[in-house]
Structures are given as C-alpha cells and as structure tokens.
Amino acid sequence: MKGIKIFSPATVANLVCGFDVIGLALDSPKDEIFLYKSKNPGIRINRIYGTSLPNDPKRNVAFVALQFLLKKYKEKQKFDNEEKIGFEIELIKNIQPGSGIGSSAASAAGIVFGANILLGNPFSSIQLIRFAMEGERVASGTAHADNVAPAIMGGLTLVRSYKPLDITKLHTPNELWVSIIHPQIEVKTSDAREILKQKILMTDAIKQWGNVGALVSGLYREDYELISRSLEDVIVEPIRAMLIPAFYELKIKCKEIGALGGGISGSGPSVFMLSKGNYTAKKVTEVMNRVYSPLRVDYKTYTSPINKRGVKWVKIL
Ligand code: HSE
C-alpha cells in the first residue's frame, strides 16, 4: 500500500463540565487527508487547501505528530540507518484553524491514524492518541487529549488520567445531536488557558465533579433530562464567557427552543448545544443564526450527529 485517503472529524472538547477530560466527535465538518508512504526519508507537506498553516514544520501539528510516530516506529523496529522511510502529505482543511472544534486535533489524529495503517498497524489507539497529543502541544502549549481522543476513538471519550494516560470510550445516546456556531473571531487556546485560575474553591469542585459523574451516568442511561441538568460549568465557563460575543444570550435562547444545554466548544470561539433529535438540533442551529445575524461578526453554523467511529480511511491510493 502506497497511499491512503482519510476523513478526520471535528471534535467538541470539555462538554461543559469536563474540562480537559471529556470530548466528542462530530460527523461534520471533517478534514480530508491524503498520505503517501515514500522511500525518500523525511516528512513533506506538499499542499494545504482551505487555509494557511505554519510553513515551519516544527510548528505544524501534522508534521510534529507524524515525526513523533516515526521516531517511536524506528525505536520499535530497531531500524538500521540504511532503511529509508518518509511521508508525503496533502491536507484539505474543512475545519478552520482556531475555530475551537478541534482543527489541530483533526490534522494530528488523521495523520497518525493513516501512517499507522501504511506501516502495518504497529500502534494501538492509545499510542496514536499519545502521538497526536504532541501535535496539540505545538498548537496550544499543552498536550491535552480531549480532542484527539474522540477524533481517534470516535463517539464520546473520557480521559480518566493523563499520567499514566488512561482513556475510556463512553456510551453515545442514539438521539444526541450537536449544533455549533463558529464566530469568525480569534481566540487562541493558549490565551484562553492563560486566563484560567490555577486554584479553585472546594465548593466549586464539588459541583463540578457532581456534574461530570451525572453526565456520564446520563449518557449511559440515555437520560436526556439528566444530561441536560449536568451541562453546567462553574469553573471555566464563567471566566471564558467574556471572550465570546452574545454567549449568554445564545445559551438562553437555544435552551428556550429545546436544547438540552451546551457551552463553549473547547477553548472557543465556537459554541455548541446538545439536543435530543435532529429536528430540535436544526431549530437550535436556526436560533444560533438569529442571535448572530444582527451582530457585526461573521459566523458559520453546523448541525451534526455524533460520529461514533471517529477518524477513518476512505480510499487506498
Ligand atoms: N480542553 C482544552 C481547553 C481544549 O479547553 O483548553 C482546547 O481545544
């Protein structure tokens, strides 16, 4: 096998109460990645469509994640120096960088997933997540896993622990849909993390872990009322909300029309809402449009079911 085409999904990290630990994968939007194995050593990003990304390879998440995988592959195979291996990459970025719906994670997850197949599947999903996290470190300054884990594993995921890395896939209720609004403003993840407090009150921690536990229970029981009650964040959202125009108006109006709840997608600027069923989710997306259309901010909206499979290959090249 010489090459492979991959679809890599957008993701929503945090899911309101699960800062840095919970995430989900979306059906759309998704990036398309063409990856070719080559006998010329090195990694070459030949074309990027849809956006401009850093030319400096050390700052490109796909490059860094793949370089990390190759290093581990060579250690694993105990390569002699004569053996040559390289990759050529083309990226079609449908997920806009800086959107808060896991653009960097989609690149990193897609690349390591594709390379693993082209190399004969030497690595497990958890190892691929580890490599993709190195891409996240370049993009945001921290190697968080709440976007790359759902991108690779699909559905909803929970990071129980970062050291050691312990990630589990959660149940996806069948009728859970997601509405997203992406205001076209810049919120850097590193800045959105910088403004957070490093210490929190015990009373807030108690509320937060109550909500995380109840959210997980609600997902397994497909109890949409419990999911709705659990979508509350008393730690991160109150600080980050100021970064997003009309954030509270969005939340109130979307819930009035039937959304279960929602909040900032990852570090923003996108805002997401969960709904039971496609019909309500589309109405929620319409409300998002109505709230934003009078504002002087360009935006895009999406309505998507949860992507239970995650990153996938679609064609052998
Ligand atoms: N959990 C991360 C954050 C996700 O909220 O900073 C960034 O995409």
Side-chain angles (χ1 to χ4, degrees):
M1 195 191 297
K2 288 272 167 50
I4 194 164
K5 179 181 175 183
I6 299 137
F7 279 157
S8 195
T11 44
V12 173
N14 300 339
L15 231 66
V16 187
C17 52
F19 179 68
D20 273 0
V21 297
I22 302 184
L24 62 77
L26 298 168
D27 249 12
S28 65
K30 52 183 169 290
D31 282 352
E32 293 161 65
I33 300 170
F34 296 83
L35 182 67
Y36 301 88
K37 199 168 136 194
S38 145
K39 288 206 161 62
N40 297 331
I43 300 165
R44 287 162 294 280
I45 302 180
N46 296 335
R47 276 191 206 94
I48 301 173
Y49 300 96
T51 189
S52 56
L53 288 171
N55 285 333
D56 176 3
K58 287 193 196 73
R59 289 180 51 232
N60 184 293
V61 298
F63 183 96
V64 170
L66 185 49
Q67 196 180 42
F68 207 79
L69 176 146
L70 265 181
K71 186 169 163 267
K72 294 291 167 192
Y73 182 70
K74 289 183 183 177
E75 283 170 16
K76 208 175 162 87
Q77 302 296 311
K78 301 205 171 42
F79 259 30
D80 59 62
N81 288 332
E82 298 306 307
E83 196 156 359
K84 308 275 189 239
I85 188 160
F87 284 100
E88 317 270 335
I89 302 169
E90 277 181 26
L91 292 172
I92 303 181
K93 291 296 298 174
N94 300 313
I95 311 167
Q96 216 174 302
S99 53
I101 48 172
S103 177
S104 54
S107 298
I111 285 292
V112 297
F113 174 83
N116 192 43
I117 293 176
L118 292 174
L119 294 171
N121 292 305
F123 297 112
S124 66
S125 292
I126 199 84
Q127 287 174 305
L128 296 183
I129 291 169
R130 189 74 204 81
F131 305 146
M133 283 168 69
E134 290 305 316
E136 289 290 64
R137 192 194 301 282
V138 173
S140 70
T142 33
H144 57 89
D146 48 347
N147 290 104
V148 290
I152 288 176
M153 296 170 89
L156 285 127
T157 55
L158 170 73
V159 184
R160 188 205 61 82
S161 151
Y162 274 90
K163 279 184 187 162
L165 194 59
D166 183 358
I167 299 177
T168 186
K169 193 166 171 175
L170 302 171
H171 176 70
T172 302
N174 267 330
E175 293 182 87
L176 205 57
W177 278 70
V178 191
S179 307
I180 307 259
I181 182 158
H182 170 206
Q184 313 273 297
I185 55 171
E186 192 184 7
V187 175
K188 283 196 182 136
T189 300
S190 49
D191 293 343
R193 294 181 78 87
E194 191 75 36
I195 59 173
L196 300 178
K197 292 181 199 154
Q198 289 307 310
K199 290 192 174 150
I200 58 168
L201 289 173
M202 177 64 94
T203 46
D204 287 342
I206 291 167
K207 283 188 194 156
Q208 200 83 357
W209 59 54
N211 280 319
V212 172
L215 176 59
V216 172
S217 171
L219 293 170
Y220 276 88
R221 291 163 54 183
E222 305 213 359
D223 180 340
Y224 293 90
E225 286 302 314
L226 184 56
I227 292 171
S228 174
R229 293 200 299 283
S230 312
L231 293 172
E232 181 197 26
D233 173 8
V234 294
I235 295 172
V236 176
E237 182 183 286
I239 298 169
R240 285 184 172 171
M242 65 178 180
L243 303 172
I244 298 158
F247 175 72
Y248 288 110
E249 188 185 346
L250 267 177
K251 265 186 85 163
I252 291 165
K253 296 215 163 125
C254 290
K255 284 181 86 166
E256 274 171 6
I257 201 79
L260 299 169
I264 304 167
S265 175
S267 57
S270 287
V271 174
F272 80 100
M273 288 285 150
L274 297 182
S275 295
K276 182 180 179 189
N278 180 8
Y279 178 75
T280 308
K282 283 191 175 144
K283 282 203 305 191
V284 169
T285 310
E286 279 166 26
V287 168
M288 290 174 154
N289 278 293
R290 278 206 291 281
V291 171
Y292 256 67
S293 56
L295 305 184
R296 289 192 183 166
V297 180
D298 289 336
Y299 62 90
K300 279 186 186 160
T301 53
Y302 306 93
T303 311
S304 172
I306 310 244
N307 175 344
K308 290 189 185 171
R309 180 161 166 198
V311 60
K312 64 176 182 186
W313 67 269
V314 285
K315 208 178 194 178
I316 306 288
L317 306 164

